[in-house]
Amino acid sequence: MNLNIMQWFDPSILIFMGMSLVLNGLVAYLWHKKFYQKLGLKSYQAIQRIHLKETPRLGGLIFALSLIAYVMYCPNNESIQLLKIILISLIPIMIVGLKEDLFHNVKPAIRLFSLLFVGWLFRAQFTGPLPNMADIPLIGKLLALQGGVSFFYILSMVAVANGMNLIDGVNGLCAAVALSILGALLFLSYKTIDVMMLSTIFSVILILIPFLIFNYPYGKIFLGDLGAYSLGLIISMLTIIFFGRHPEISPWGAVLILIYPAMEIVFSLFRRLIKGVPIYHADTAHLHLKLFHLFRPQPHYKKIANALVTPALFGLWLFPLLATTWVYQKPLFILISIVLFLLIYAALYAIVPKVKTIKIKLKK
């Protein structure tokens, strides 16, 4: 295997990486100067809020604009065509997400509908092969039903997108999870000599990195709903596309790669159903929030409690990337890795005590 980096690396992406860096810095600075008040925008208030200062939730908008500008600038090729399909599919959640990030008044049902619409748009546009899931128990039977294929993949994309949105708000966590997943896909693309996927995934990674610079450790900007949902959908789509192109790799590998955001949403749904509360009801019982409220009361950690959560959870968000590099050719080991992740997550959740939630007061 001898891949020349210039086969899959487009130097022009650095221009748009720089654009993303400048825009993230500019928005963070303007919010620090209370510019949002001049626009008549309200402060973000939610039970799961854990940042002290009013923070712009526009990192996702900047990420999307930078990616769109890159696609418009570049000559048409297979990678750009794929990014166009993804970006066109994301239009509904971009509109709805931006409204939520600016005005905080979009109902959960509208957000869910827009996510389902995104999934439908992607299925309507993408004509390439899909992962072969026929041999997986229960899922195989679902796929055999009329409309079962579309239903399964749309539902999967919505689940991962919601899982990513749950963890946005903790400094660095959402971006770290995304980069870990994209890193796993990049590794597999390299191993399978898939130049198109290498180019596409690496472009997304480079445009996301500037956001992380301002998001961690100080939380100067967040992805917001537009960013977290879009990023979750992008990594879902790329995972579906990659495993459809490479049936030689077990589709359980896709489950392993996406397991953290998927676990977040599934575990949250079960927890709320058990408690008898609406599934869309926000709470502070997520693992990352439990860790924050564990760190926060301690004098030494009070000011850096938010920034401590991401490194404290590195074993979870880095697990799929590390495991994939070892077990991607061995379906049995992939399954063992999935079970191991579930056990680690459950053990961590049980070990971390639920302490009294501290109401975060906004600093003026």
Side-chain angles (χ1 to χ4, degrees), residues 102-317:
L102 292 176
F103 304 108
H104 323 304
N105 59 359
V106 179
K107 295 180 179 179
I110 295 176
R111 278 178 272 168
L112 177 60
F113 177 77
S114 66
L115 289 172
L116 292 169
F117 191 27
V118 168
W120 180 83
L121 283 174
F122 175 71
R123 282 290 294 124
Q125 291 184 91
F126 181 67
T127 57
L130 296 171
N132 181 14
M133 313 286 279
D135 296 331
I136 296 180
L138 297 179
I139 294 176
K141 292 183 179 180
L142 173 63
L143 297 180
L145 299 174
Q146 185 175 4
V149 172
S150 293
F151 176 80
F152 172 75
Y153 286 111
I154 291 172
L155 191 63
S156 299
M157 286 187 281
V158 170
V160 172
N162 274 288
M164 293 294 284
N165 192 48
L166 286 178
I167 58 179
D168 185 40
V170 173
N171 298 353
L173 185 57
C174 191
V177 171
L179 289 173
S180 177
I181 291 170
L182 291 168
L185 291 172
L186 191 72
F187 169 81
L188 292 176
S189 299
Y190 181 79
K191 284 294 184 179
T192 54
I193 321 178
D194 192 330
V195 174
M196 189 273 284
M197 291 302 293
L198 270 171
S199 178
T200 306
I201 295 164
F202 196 58
S203 298
V204 174
I205 289 174
L206 289 182
I207 289 181
L208 180 60
I209 287 174
F211 161 78
L212 185 59
I213 293 172
F214 288 94
N215 178 242
Y216 189 84
Y218 300 112
K220 298 295 184 182
I221 192 169
F222 285 109
L223 283 168
D225 278 25
L226 188 162
Y229 283 136
S230 295
L231 201 51
L233 290 163
I234 288 171
I235 60 179
S236 302
M237 293 174 190
L238 290 175
T239 302
I240 290 170
I241 293 166
F242 175 82
F243 280 88
R245 290 166 64 91
H246 297 283
E248 72 275 14
I249 300 178
S250 170
W252 282 108
V255 178
L256 174 60
I257 288 173
L258 297 173
I259 195 166
Y260 187 15
M263 181 64 175
E264 276 291 331
I265 190 63
V266 171
F267 192 77
S268 296
L269 288 175
F270 275 114
R271 189 180 68 247
R272 290 166 187 172
L273 287 172
I274 291 170
K275 290 182 177 179
V277 298
I279 59 174
Y280 54 82
H281 181 72
D283 60 40
T284 58
H286 302 292
L287 178 57
H288 55 280
L289 294 180
K290 286 177 69 178
L291 274 172
F292 170 80
H293 290 295
L294 178 66
F295 292 139
R296 175 78 177 151
Q298 302 178 43
H300 293 93
Y301 299 148
K302 186 175 182 179
K303 292 184 178 180
I304 59 171
N306 194 317
L308 287 175
V309 175
T310 296
L313 290 174
F314 83 97
L316 291 181
W317 56 263

Side-chain angles (χ1 to χ4, degrees), residues 288-352:
H288 55 280
L289 294 180
K290 286 177 69 178
L291 274 172
F292 170 80
H293 290 295
L294 178 66
F295 292 139
R296 175 78 177 151
Q298 302 178 43
H300 293 93
Y301 299 148
K302 186 175 182 179
K303 292 184 178 180
I304 59 171
N306 194 317
L308 287 175
V309 175
T310 296
L313 290 174
F314 83 97
L316 291 181
W317 56 263
L318 203 54
F319 184 95
L321 171 59
L322 296 178
T324 297
T325 62
W326 284 89
V327 305
Y328 74 98
Q329 292 178 315
K330 305 175 180 69
L332 177 60
F333 285 4
I334 292 175
L335 288 172
I336 292 172
S337 298
I338 291 171
V339 173
L340 183 59
F341 178 91
L342 297 177
L343 292 174
I344 293 172
Y345 185 98
L348 275 174
Y349 194 89
I351 290 170
V352 177

Side-chain angles (χ1 to χ4, degrees), residues 48-67:
Q48 69 271 32
R49 175 188 174 129
I50 59 174
H51 47 282
L52 299 174
K53 297 180 180 180
E54 185 59 28
T55 306
R57 303 171 78 233
L58 296 176
L61 176 63
I62 294 168
F63 170 74
L65 289 176
S66 301
L67 198 56

Side-chain angles (χ1 to χ4, degrees), residues 34-52:
K34 306 292 190 299
F35 183 74
Y36 64 93
Q37 294 177 346
K38 297 179 182 178
L39 298 177
L41 301 178
K42 298 178 181 178
S43 298
Y44 176 66
Q45 298 293 340
I47 188 174
Q48 69 271 32
R49 175 188 174 129
I50 59 174
H51 47 282
L52 299 174

